[in-house]
Amino acid sequence: MAPKKSIATKISEKKELKAVVLADSFDDLFQPLALNKPRCLLPLCNVPMIEYTLEFLAASGVSEAILICKSHSEKLQAYIRQSKWKRSSTPMKVNTTAAQSATSVCDALRKIDESSVITSDFILCTGLVVSNMNLTELVAAHVANKSRDRNQIMTMLLREAASTHRLFDKSDESVYIIEPSTSRLLAVNTSPSLPRAHDVDIPTNAIIYKMPKVEPRTGFIDTNESVYSPEVELRADLIDTHVSICSPEVLSLLTENFDYQVMRRDFVHRTLVSDLLSSTIYAHILTGSSSVLSEAVTAAAATSPEALAPALGALDLSAGGGITSVSHSGYAAGVADTAAYDAISRDLIGRWAYPLCPDSNPIDGPPYSYHRGAVYKTPSVFLGRESRVDHHVILGPNSHVADHARVFDSVLGSGCRVSGQSVVHGSYLFDGASVGRGSAVEKSILGERVTILENVVIERGCLIGDDVVIGPNVRIAAFSRISRRAPQ
């Protein structure tokens, strides 16, 4: 007897799952490092960031990923053409779209709507997402929940964390107002971290919230009749992973509202507080627990896809039905800024996102071996006898650390050289970068082929663009940005 097919398989047989990947961020947070290439091609632990996103989508059963990019779109297209994603054996098609006229994330999504390539529910994420999750069950739960709440247009993937977590966005603070029994988002308040706000603007209708009535017999939501929700949660401990599951209506709403520029602060916030729109958005929160779809849904889907709706109707929202019937543990994070870049790099090196780690290199290239202290090396690395390499280090192919040099908490790309008496701490050196004798690099990022000459001090927070030469005998002030040419 052939094995029964899962709910996710039967749903995918009806409509193939697609993903829209925002490969451009429309900001300058990584300048001047991204002056010569799109940000998604910058290396994260010596792997282009877009590779982590594509691996994550392929593992989630996506049949086609649509990459949309404005800056250096031709370089992204060239990279995809020569990558493994264009091989005949790849399980997922990857196509790129240039959005030269777009000025924001929402503008880019309007171009996707114009092309009419999205006709069913899809995954929306940035090209800077790192995750070891499989979204198959969450996509199925999103579809299932839509049969109960026909106004649902989005499920946001959020991550629970303490306010001191290193992945928390340092540029703004968000408060999510959630109806806990269904995980429905009622409002999102986002404000800049500086100057620090002493109060939060919360819409009254989000607190005194009338929850749509659930029909006891069928379990379907009646939006014409409402009851007051007994409880709402105000949560400031959630991190946006930059991953959402969306209905095609999301793209239509963006096309109709040209003043929307960014997703969370504009689209999500205004959709939730609008008196004219009845659209609803739900949250799926990573808390560390792990379960699967409810037994009623799984059993019905295993029998036949037509049995899905009655089974969903039998679920009880107050008992954790709806979107809360799926709960995943897993790692998911987006590289929103350089602080997140550092945090996610540390997570990968520390194996917090296992099996995503340097010794499971997702691209073709020399293998990395793991050594004590979370040190990863390729066979072609040269280490001087008197050199010190310890604690959370990646040494790329043909990298060279001379005698009496010290490297720790850092990543060295291919062909990097660190000369004697030099110190590299908490820093990221892209391919071909070199540090001269007696120099020190502290918590900074050096672009490709950067040359640091003798007796140079790079203070923390510096971003040095490609092909820059610094020194000798100079000190670069903290948080400096240096490039060979000015950003356009």
Side-chain angles (χ1 to χ4, degrees):
M1 181 177 177
K4 295 181 179 179
K5 296 182 179 180
S6 67
I7 176 175
T9 302
K10 296 200 172 188
I11 289 175
S12 65
E13 284 179 353
K14 286 185 172 182
K15 294 182 180 178
E16 291 185 337
L17 180 62
K18 295 184 178 181
V20 174
V21 180
L22 297 165
D24 205 320
S25 54
F26 299 93
D27 60 43
D28 59 356
L29 294 177
F30 272 76
Q31 300 294 13
L33 298 171
L35 279 178
N36 301 317
K37 63 175 67 174
R39 185 192 298 185
C40 63
L41 292 185
L42 294 178
L44 180 72
C45 294
N46 291 341
V47 174
M49 286 189 268
I50 191 65
E51 289 288 347
Y52 293 104
T53 303
L54 295 178
E55 289 284 350
F56 155 62
L57 295 174
S60 297
V62 171
S63 61
E64 180 182 1
I66 303 167
L67 313 185
I68 185 161
C69 182
K70 176 183 179 179
S71 301
H72 308 292
S73 58
E74 71 286 350
K75 293 187 177 180
L76 178 60
Q77 292 169 345
Y79 176 83
I80 294 298
R81 279 197 301 269
Q82 57 82 37
S83 71
K84 66 180 181 181
W85 302 106
K86 284 301 182 180
R87 297 173 186 169
S88 58
S89 58
T90 184
M92 179 178 70
K93 293 189 296 183
V94 178
N95 296 313
T96 57
T97 300
Q100 300 300 339
S101 60
T103 59
S104 67
V105 166
C106 293
D107 273 350
L109 292 175
R110 293 183 188 103
K111 183 174 179 62
I112 295 293
D113 188 41
E114 292 172 4
S115 66
S116 301
V117 295
I118 299 297
T119 58
S120 59
D121 294 338
F122 64 99
I123 296 174
L124 174 64
C125 66
T126 70
L128 313 172
V129 169
V130 177
S131 177
N132 60 4
M133 294 182 62
N134 184 333
L135 291 186
T136 304
E137 291 172 347
L138 183 56
V139 171
H142 170 85
V143 174
N145 204 54
K146 283 179 64 178
S147 67
R148 299 172 56 81
D149 182 357
R150 295 179 178 86
N151 293 321
Q152 179 185 355
I153 62 170
M154 178 185 287
T155 300
M156 295 180 65
L157 183 63
L158 305 175
R159 176 177 174 178
E160 185 180 76
S163 60
T164 55
H165 196 282
R166 61 191 179 197
L167 273 173
F168 252 98
D169 192 346
K170 306 299 189 297
S171 61
D172 60 40
E173 297 176 345
S174 295
V175 176
Y176 296 84
I177 304 172
I178 301 175
E179 203 288 306
S181 66
T182 62
S183 292
R184 177 178 168 182
L185 272 177
L186 307 180
V188 178
N189 181 279
T190 302
S191 59
S193 298
L194 295 174
R196 179 174 290 275
H198 297 287
D199 51 24
V200 178
D201 182 18
I202 300 173
T204 305
N205 61 350
I207 300 298
I208 309 174
Y209 164 62
K210 296 183 73 177
M211 184 174 66
K213 186 175 181 181
V214 180
E215 187 66 34
R217 184 176 60 85
T218 64
F220 288 102
I221 295 176
D222 184 357
T223 56
N224 297 318
E225 191 172 351
S226 303
V227 295
Y228 284 102
S229 173
E231 181 182 6
V232 293
E233 291 181 346
L234 276 69
R235 302 195 59 170
D237 62 339
L238 300 177
I239 300 172
D240 186 359
T241 65
H242 304 281
V243 178
S244 299
I245 301 164
C246 303
S247 300
E249 288 78 10
V250 168
L251 301 178
S252 301
L253 288 172
L254 288 171
T255 300
E256 295 168 3
N257 297 274
F258 276 90
D259 55 335
Y260 293 172
Q261 299 299 312
V262 295
M263 288 300 293
R264 183 176 55 186
R265 189 165 54 245
D266 289 342
F267 176 79
V268 174
H269 171 71
R270 297 188 192 181
T271 298
L272 293 176
V273 301
S274 173
D275 294 327
L276 301 177
L277 298 176
S278 59
S279 303
T280 57
I281 298 175
Y282 288 78
H284 180 69
I285 300 172
L286 299 178
T287 60
S289 60
S290 180
S291 63
V292 294
L293 287 171
S294 67
E295 293 182 4
V297 177
T298 306
T303 305
S304 66
E306 293 76 16
L308 181 61
L312 291 168
L315 293 175
D316 182 8
L317 274 176
S318 62
I323 201 66
T324 55
S325 61
V326 173
S327 179
H328 286 282
S329 60
Y331 184 93
V335 184
D337 51 29
T338 52
Y341 178 93
D342 177 63
I344 295 172
S345 296
R346 291 173 181 272
D347 287 345
L348 291 171
I349 295 172
R351 309 177 82 84
W352 290 103
Y354 189 84
L356 294 178
C357 47
D359 51 343
S360 61
N361 196 347
I363 61 174
D364 296 334
Y368 286 86
S369 57
Y370 177 83
H371 300 267
R372 186 176 61 182
V375 174
Y376 301 84
K377 298 188 297 185
T378 58
S380 57
V381 168
F382 173 82
L383 297 178
R385 282 194 168 190
E386 301 297 326
S387 65
R388 287 189 59 188
V389 174
D390 47 21
H391 189 65
H392 287 203
V393 172
I394 298 178
L395 301 175
N398 301 309
S399 55
H400 183 288
V401 182
D403 285 333
H404 307 293
R406 187 182 181 195
V407 178
F408 61 110
D409 287 327
S410 298
V411 176
L412 273 58
S414 175
C416 290
R417 299 181 67 87
V418 180
S419 301
Q421 310 298 331
S422 296
V423 177
V424 177
H425 169 228
S427 298
Y428 302 89
L429 278 60
F430 293 176
D431 293 351
S434 63
V435 179
R437 186 176 183 83
S439 294
V441 181
E442 177 75 14
K443 296 183 178 179
S444 297
I445 304 179
L446 276 56
E448 294 181 1
R449 300 173 300 280
V450 168
T451 301
I452 306 299
L453 300 178
E454 295 80 8
N455 302 315
V456 173
V457 176
I458 308 292
E459 297 183 356
R460 69 188 183 97
C462 292
L463 303 182
I464 313 298
D466 295 349
D467 300 304
V468 169
V469 179
I470 299 178
N473 306 314
V474 296
R475 176 182 289 267
I476 304 300
F479 304 106
S480 297
R481 298 190 182 201
I482 302 175
S483 66
R484 290 179 61 90
R485 62 182 179 88
Q488 297 179 352

